[in-house]
Amino acid sequence: MMAALQVLPNTCLLAWGWRRRGLATGAGLLSALAMPPYGIWVVLALTLPALVWLLDGAVEQGNQGTRWRWVAGFSIGWWFGFGYFLAGLWWIGSAFLVDGDRFAWMMPFAVLAMPVGLALFPALALAIAARFWPEGPNRVLVLALVLSGADYVRGHVLTGFPWNIFGYAFSDMLILAQVASVVGVYGLGLLVILILASPAVAFDTNARIQKVMIIGLSSLCLVGTVLFGAIRLIVLEDPQDTATELRIVQPAIPQAEKWLPENRDSIFERYISLSEQALEGDDRDGVERLLIWPESAVPFLLTASPEAMVRIAGVVEGKSSFVTGAIRAEEAGGQTDYFNSVYLFDSDGTVRDAYDKVHLVPFGEYLPLEDLLNSLGLRALVTAPGAFQPGFRGRPLTLASGTSFLPLVCYEAIFPALASAEGPRPDFLLNVTNDAWFGDTAGPYQHVSQSAMRAIEQGLPLVRAANTGVSAIFDAKGRLAGILSINVRGILSGQLPGKLSETIYSKYGDKIFLTMQFLILILILFLRYNRTSRQN
């Protein structure tokens, strides 16, 4: 039995050259199964220990020089990252098939370019790990420190891209995900790595005290995470639903049809028809209704179309407040600037307020290094009427009743920091999006799952309106209160859940994660000092 269990550690330890790169790539490919829509998080209990053993083997074989350690660690991390991001993000290529005649040739390059670039983060992390790789069981702590640190850096540099960071491995296990209300998703990622990499030390034959301590620490983290989640889900009293009734319209318009000029009127009529259905029936005294359309709902400038505004006013007047994603145009200095915005209308059909998207999608909504890339002919990648301009800052919008919400447009919902704004705490988070670009692939499911994590972190309900993708209502504990699945045309009705009191994460943000990193570093240094003292 033990001989059989030793097969994987021995294979990793003895691997060399292309076999080591192949094992690292395979570990990355399998690790992507931990993410939605699969959610097979236990696979990390196999692939993360494999990373530990691969580093063990590389460091032992190259113990004659520091440079070897840097190179070997970088190679293992890059191939692992390449496999992980290739398997987790391949669906991005489907966006290039929407206008296939013009962009299909780019798809293979895009599908490969993102994993090639994103793999640099785990590559640098494991290069650092290999340089300081210890012999004892505390090397699991080193792996958790550097890999979770790489996720944090990836979420911030070059505008950031915190997609599929390790914390989302627990996103479908609500009892495990609740601890994000304290440590955030980056802190949750550190716990995921620490807990699921620790089986590697079970095969260690020395340093028994440290071995027991590391396994004990990871077990304590797992038990603590489960207990905290159980208390928050079961013992912590659920807030009462509010008096606000939600009506979310999901028109399910294929992306290839949305911007065709001949479809303009039929798309608008579809929204109007669904909205009339959503608001029909008695509207009761004291009950507030909120009608919601998704991101850039109609294929024209809404506020520049008086006929459309009159139709909308006729539908919502006296019945409902109305929120929609829409492109906003603003004249400035003789030119027109465009914004990807969220409009809030009062129940009389007048515009009450607007929010401009702050965190735009590179290449999708604006062109980074515009002068340089334009000269290379890459202007065609930008789909906006001109490049979008970013908004100034995130801020809540407030209905006439006093109910407030913080808008998050499209992938703004994957950034933990954007779900927290200065000023009074909102009553809910509103994510408007359009995932039709990616069809029925893994992308829309990953997107909605990551959005729901913001509800747990902030202790606020999250309401999601998608053209198609997944429209949903999550309560303040991240539990699903209503859903319209992908490619379904219809209306999602539900009561707005109440909010919880302010969470620790909403007060302190990622300072908690950075403190965890510091404490792990101190523990590593202490164990290293203790081991050296014993050997002397």
Side-chain angles (χ1 to χ4, degrees):
M1 180 68 178
M2 285 304 296
L5 292 175
Q6 285 285 358
V7 170
L8 181 60
N10 288 341
T11 301
C12 293
L13 285 165
L14 299 175
W16 182 268
W18 67 267
R19 289 186 176 85
R20 180 188 293 156
R21 295 192 290 273
L23 285 169
T25 307
L29 289 167
L30 286 175
S31 294
L33 293 174
M35 297 295 141
Y38 313 107
I40 311 173
W41 57 270
V42 292
V43 75
L44 294 177
L46 181 69
T47 57
L48 292 177
L51 269 187
V52 173
W53 297 320
L54 285 169
L55 281 168
D56 285 345
V59 168
E60 282 185 19
Q61 291 161 4
N63 57 8
Q64 68 274 28
T66 300
R67 184 181 176 186
W68 171 271
R69 288 190 170 212
W70 283 104
V71 173
F74 186 92
S75 174
I76 292 170
W78 191 88
W79 284 105
F80 172 83
F82 179 75
Y84 180 68
F85 293 117
L86 182 65
L89 296 173
W90 62 268
W91 48 267
I92 285 177
S94 58
F96 293 85
L97 300 179
V98 171
D99 188 359
D101 291 343
R102 297 171 62 197
F103 297 117
W105 66 273
M106 292 184 180
M107 187 180 77
F109 300 101
V111 168
L112 291 175
M114 285 202 72
V116 166
L118 293 173
L120 292 174
F121 292 96
L124 291 171
L126 291 199
I128 295 170
R131 168 61 182 83
F132 301 100
W133 198 242
E135 293 182 4
N138 56 328
R139 62 200 193 285
V140 168
L141 296 175
V142 174
L143 186 74
L145 181 74
V146 298
L147 272 187
S148 63
D151 271 350
Y152 181 79
V153 173
R154 176 162 62 91
H156 290 80
V157 301
L158 298 175
T159 77
F161 188 64
W163 198 282
N164 281 359
I165 57 180
F166 282 102
Y168 291 121
F170 284 170
S171 61
D172 289 341
M173 294 289 293
L174 276 180
I175 197 168
L176 296 173
Q178 296 302 309
V179 77
S181 64
V182 177
V183 302
V185 74
Y186 292 112
L188 184 58
L190 191 154
L191 293 175
V192 165
I193 299 166
L194 177 61
I195 291 168
L196 297 178
S198 62
V201 306
F203 295 88
D204 289 359
T205 56
N206 55 7
R208 291 184 178 178
I209 294 177
Q210 284 195 14
K211 178 175 164 179
V212 170
M213 196 180 76
I214 295 300
I215 292 177
L217 176 62
S218 62
S219 301
L220 188 64
C221 289
L222 178 60
V223 171
T225 299
V226 171
L227 284 177
F228 180 86
I231 291 170
R232 193 166 192 264
L233 283 175
I234 300 169
V235 178
L236 181 63
E237 188 175 356
D238 293 329
Q240 288 189 339
D241 289 346
T242 70
T244 301
E245 293 183 351
L246 303 171
R247 301 288 186 267
I248 301 169
V249 172
Q250 179 170 296
I253 300 165
Q255 191 60 32
E257 298 177 10
K258 180 171 179 178
W259 295 99
L260 296 177
E262 61 268 30
N263 291 340
R264 167 191 160 131
D265 292 341
S266 62
I267 287 173
F268 183 66
E269 288 303 322
R270 184 182 299 182
Y271 273 107
I272 291 295
S273 174
L274 288 169
S275 299
E276 288 173 340
Q277 293 176 41
L279 298 178
E280 67 184 2
D282 297 332
D283 54 326
R284 294 161 289 166
D285 291 340
V287 174
E288 177 182 59
R289 282 181 173 181
L290 181 59
L291 176 69
I292 306 171
W293 290 2
E295 179 189 13
S296 56
V298 291
F300 53 87
L301 289 174
L302 183 61
T303 54
S305 177
E307 302 86 358
M309 295 288 284
V310 169
R311 290 291 306 280
I312 291 172
V315 172
V316 304
E317 186 174 10
K319 296 179 180 177
S320 173
S321 296
F322 171 52
V323 176
T324 182
I327 295 175
R328 189 175 76 82
E330 182 176 292
E331 298 292 334
Q335 67 177 25
T336 304
D337 290 333
Y338 294 94
F339 300 86
N340 191 355
S341 303
V342 172
Y343 280 106
L344 168 62
F345 293 77
D346 279 333
S347 59
D348 61 1
T350 58
V351 175
R352 181 179 180 84
D353 206 346
Y355 160 80
D356 299 323
K357 185 178 183 181
V358 173
H359 202 119
L360 301 174
V361 180
F363 298 101
E365 294 176 320
Y366 76 101
L367 196 63
L369 304 173
E370 187 172 5
D371 292 340
L372 172 63
L373 295 184
N374 272 339
S375 67
L376 298 175
L378 293 182
R379 179 69 180 174
L381 287 172
V382 181
T383 60
F388 282 122
Q389 299 298 314
F392 177 63
R393 65 184 174 87
R395 62 184 180 87
L397 304 182
T398 305
L399 280 62
S401 64
T403 301
S404 63
F405 63 90
L406 183 63
L408 298 167
V409 180
C410 189
Y411 95 144
E412 285 186 321
I414 73 169
F415 293 88
L418 295 181
S420 178
E422 295 179 4
R425 194 162 173 254
D427 294 294
F428 68 101
L429 304 172
L430 175 63
N431 179 210
V432 294
T433 189
N434 173 24
D435 291 346
W437 285 99
F438 308 108
D440 192 4
T441 63
Y445 300 100
Q446 292 173 0
H447 196 187
V448 67
S449 182
Q450 295 178 25
S451 302
M453 190 67 79
R454 304 290 85 78
I456 298 173
E457 288 173 341
Q458 298 295 328
L460 295 172
L462 183 136
V463 178
R464 195 166 195 267
N467 164 34
T468 191
V470 181
S471 295
I473 302 170
F474 294 95
D475 73 7
K477 296 178 181 178
R479 292 176 298 200
L480 191 62
I483 187 170
L484 269 181
S485 297
I486 194 166
N487 292 332
V488 173
R489 182 184 305 169
I491 304 154
L492 175 60
S493 299
Q495 210 74 18
L496 176 64
K499 63 181 179 182
L500 292 166
S501 57
E502 199 172 9
T503 65
I504 292 176
Y505 181 79
S506 66
K507 285 183 180 177
Y508 300 105
D510 289 327
K511 292 175 184 172
I512 304 293
F513 164 69
L514 296 174
T515 302
M516 292 171 69
Q517 285 252 303
F518 178 73
L519 293 176
I520 292 281
L521 179 61
I522 294 297
L523 181 57
I524 291 169
L525 294 175
F526 170 76
L527 292 174
R528 188 184 185 95
Y529 172 78
N530 190 46
R531 184 182 178 87
T532 304
S533 299
R534 286 172 179 271
Q535 290 173 343
N536 291 338

